C-alpha cells in the first residue's frame, strides 16, 4: 500500500490507498490491448496526412484507436523513413524513388496533404522511423510495415534498442519474413489480401504470427477460417464504414484497421 501526504491549509493529511504515480504507470504493450482493437491506419489517412507525425499525434490525442500504424521504407544509406510508396510522387513535393535519397536529402522532402482532407494541414517533413519510435514508443502500441524486406534487421535494432519489442508489431505480406521477425524476437504481423486468403491455410502460421491482418473484402468463409486459425489476433483491413466493421466483427475478427478512426468512433458496433 502506498501513502502520500497533502498539505491542506497548514495541516498535513496522509492519504492511503492505491496510488499509481507516473513512474509506476504500466507502459503500453500488446498484452494490455482490449478485446476489440482499433488501429489508426497510416495515422488515419482519411482524416489526416497519411504517415505524418501530425496524423499519428492527432490519432493518439483523440484516443479512438489503441494502435498507431505507419509504413517504413529504406533510403540508399540504410536510414529507415516513414513512407508507404516506393516513390515520392503521390504524397510529397518530390518525384522519384525513395531509395535514391539519403538521410542528408530527407530533410528537404515535404509531405503534400491530400486535397480531399477537410482540415487544413501544414506541409511537414516525413518522419524517420527512429523519430516515430522516440515520440510514441512506450506511449502507444505501434504497428509498422516493413515495406522493404531487407530493412528488417535495421528495424529490429531500432525497436530492440528502445525496449519496444512487446509494444511494436512488425507487419509484412510475406510469411517467410514474418517468421524471421518472430525468430528475431519481434511481434510478427502478417497481412493477406482477399485473393490470398482464398488459398491460405492460416493455421500454419499460428506458431509465429501474433496478428493476422485480413482483407475485410474476403469471403465470409475465409474470414471465419482466419478467425478460427488459432492465431490470437485477427484484425480486418482497411475498414472505413460501420457496416464493414460490424461484418468483420460478426465473422470473428477482433480488431479493426481503419483510415477513419473518428468516423467509426461515432457509432457503436452492433451486437456480434
Amino acid at each position: 500500500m502506498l501513502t502520500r501526504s497533502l498539505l491542506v491549509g497548514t495541516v498535513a493529511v496522509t492519504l492511503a490507498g492505491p496510488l499509481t504515480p507516473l513512474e509506476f504507470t504500466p507502459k503500453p504493450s500488446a498484452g494490455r490491448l482490449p478485446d476489440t482493437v482499433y488501429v489508426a491506419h497510416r495515422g488515419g489517412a482519411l482524416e489526416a496526412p497519411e504517415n505524418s507525425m501530425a496524423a499519428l499525434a492527432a490519432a493518439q490525442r483523440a484516443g479512438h484507436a489503441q494502435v498507431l500504424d505507419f509504413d517504413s521504407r529504406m533510403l540508399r544509406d540504410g536510414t529507415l523513413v516513414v513512407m508507404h510508396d516506393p516513390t515520392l510522387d503521390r504524397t510529397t513535393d518530390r518525384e522519384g524513388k525513395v531509395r535514391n535519397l539519403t538521410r542528408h536529402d530527407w530533410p528537404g522532402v515535404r509531405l503534400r496533404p491530400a486535397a480531399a482532407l477537410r482540415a487544413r494541414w501544414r506541409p511537414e517533413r516525413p518522419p524517420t522511423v527512429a523519430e516515430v519510435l522516440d515520440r510514441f514508443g512506450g506511449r502507444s502500441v505501434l504497428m509498422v510495415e516493413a515495406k522493404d524486406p531487407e530493412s528488417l534487421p535495421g528495424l529490429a535494432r531500432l525497436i530492440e534498442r528502445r525496449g519496444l519489442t512487446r509494444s511494436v508489431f512488425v507487419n509484412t505480406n510475406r510469411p517467410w519474413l514474418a517468421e524471421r521477425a518472430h525468430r528475431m524476437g519481434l511481434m510478427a504481423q502478417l497481412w493477406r489480401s482477399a485473393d490470398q486468403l482464398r488459398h491460405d491455410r492460416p493455421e500454419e502460421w499460428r506458431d509465429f504470427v501474433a496478428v493476422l491482418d485480413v482483407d475485410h473484402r474476403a469471403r465470409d468463409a475465409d474470414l471465419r477460417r482466419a478467425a478460427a486459425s488459432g492465431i490470437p489476433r485477427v484484425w480486418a483491413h482497411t475498414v472505413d464504414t460501420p457496416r464493414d466493421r460490424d461484418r468483420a466483427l460478426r465473422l470473428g475478427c477482433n480488431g479493426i484497421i481503419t483510415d477513419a478512426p473518428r468516423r467509426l468512433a461515432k457509432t457503436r458496433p452492433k451486437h456480434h
Side-chain angles (χ1 to χ4, degrees):
M1 179 79 66
L2 296 172
T3 63
R4 56 180 173 176
S5 295
L6 294 179
L7 189 63
V8 182
T10 58
V11 180
V13 180
T14 299
L15 303 177
L19 177 62
T20 309
L22 182 60
E23 60 269 27
F24 294 152
T25 301
K27 291 184 177 181
S29 73
R32 297 190 182 97
L33 288 173
D35 293 338
T36 301
V37 174
Y38 285 81
V39 180
H41 183 237
R42 305 184 200 172
L46 287 177
E47 300 171 344
E50 69 172 70
N51 278 320
S52 67
M53 198 71 91
L56 295 168
Q60 184 190 51
R61 284 195 306 271
H64 301 314
Q66 296 81 43
V67 179
L68 305 179
D69 163 75
F70 60 100
D71 300 288
S72 71
R73 290 279 178 185
M74 189 165 68
L75 302 184
R76 189 170 72 237
D77 59 7
T79 301
L80 297 183
V81 297
V82 179
M83 183 66 55
H84 177 273
D85 298 356
T87 68
L88 299 162
D89 305 26
R90 181 176 65 87
T91 59
T92 81
D93 62 352
R94 299 282 190 94
E95 294 182 351
K97 294 181 179 180
V98 174
R99 183 63 68 92
N100 289 342
L101 302 183
T102 70
R103 66 181 183 277
H104 300 296
D105 303 318
W106 198 246
V109 177
R110 290 292 179 272
L111 289 170
R112 187 176 63 243
L117 291 176
R118 293 183 179 180
R120 297 182 64 182
W121 298 86
R122 295 179 179 178
E124 61 177 280
R125 174 178 59 81
T128 64
V129 171
E131 288 170 336
V132 171
L133 295 179
D134 287 341
R135 180 164 178 179
F136 300 103
R139 297 173 179 85
S140 298
V141 175
L142 303 174
M143 187 172 103
V144 53
E145 183 172 353
K147 287 292 188 181
D148 301 312
E150 62 273 30
S151 71
L152 184 61
L155 184 58
R157 285 192 295 272
L158 291 175
I159 293 169
E160 290 167 354
R161 288 172 182 171
R162 290 163 174 80
L164 300 175
T165 56
R166 295 299 91 193
S167 62
V168 178
F169 293 102
V170 177
N171 198 6
T172 178
N173 183 240
R174 300 168 172 86
W176 64 267
L177 193 63
E179 186 171 15
R180 181 178 294 180
H182 172 75
R183 290 178 178 175
M184 296 173 73
L186 302 172
M187 294 191 299
Q189 178 168 342
L190 179 65
W191 73 266
R192 306 297 283 171
S193 69
D195 287 340
Q196 289 172 324
L197 286 167
R198 286 175 174 266
H199 310 289
D200 285 341
R201 299 180 62 184
E203 65 276 6
E204 296 179 349
W205 305 321
R206 61 189 174 199
D207 290 338
F208 60 88
V209 169
V211 176
L212 180 59
D213 177 347
V214 295
D215 189 338
H216 81 91
R217 298 168 297 182
R219 301 177 301 180
D220 286 11
D222 294 334
L223 291 182
R224 288 195 181 98
R225 190 157 44 86
S229 65
I231 296 172
R233 300 176 182 88
V234 180
W235 299 351
H237 75 262
T238 301
V239 180
D240 296 329
T241 68
R243 180 179 179 180
D244 288 336
R245 173 199 59 197
D246 294 347
R247 171 179 175 266
L249 295 176
R250 185 175 65 252
L251 294 173
C253 297
N254 53 16
I256 299 297
I257 300 170
T258 177
D259 285 327
R262 289 178 182 270
R263 178 190 301 171
L264 292 191
K266 292 179 180 179
T267 63
R268 293 185 178 182
K270 294 182 179 179
H271 181 71
H272 61 277

